[in-house]
Amino acid sequence: MAKNKGTRILITLECTECRSNLNKRSPGVSRYHTQKNRRNNPERLELKKYCPHCNKPTVHKEIK
């Protein structure tokens, strides 16, 4: 018996300041993996999370 696709999907959140900032503490981009409910949040998710490369809390946006 096959199960159908659930409403929860895995997403990746990426720091918005690391992509464009060249004067950061270390090279690289901060990424977080989390889940979201497809029915409650159909649009792209934006959360304020800590970025170890920028050394401060920044806005992280959902990427594909």
Side-chain angles (χ1 to χ4, degrees):
M1 297 178 78
K3 290 187 177 181
N4 63 347
K5 233 180 185 181
T7 57
R8 293 214 156 262
I9 56 171
L10 289 173
I11 60 168
T12 303
L13 300 172
E14 187 177 81
C15 180
T16 55
E17 292 187 21
C18 281
R19 284 190 259 171
S20 58
N21 188 6
L22 299 175
N23 301 324
K24 57 186 172 183
R25 200 165 60 110
S26 63
V29 177
S30 172
R31 289 190 174 159
Y32 286 95
H33 299 285
T34 187
Q35 293 180 343
K36 80 169 185 177
N37 191 319
R38 218 183 310 209
R39 290 187 189 142
N40 294 343
N41 302 359
E43 67 279 348
R44 294 208 175 215
L45 197 60
E46 285 186 18
L47 294 174
K48 196 165 189 179
K49 311 247 329 148
Y50 178 76
C51 176
H53 300 291
C54 298
N55 204 25
K56 62 183 178 180
T58 59
V59 174
H60 285 64
K61 290 187 179 180
E62 179 182 341
I63 60 169
K64 283 202 169 187

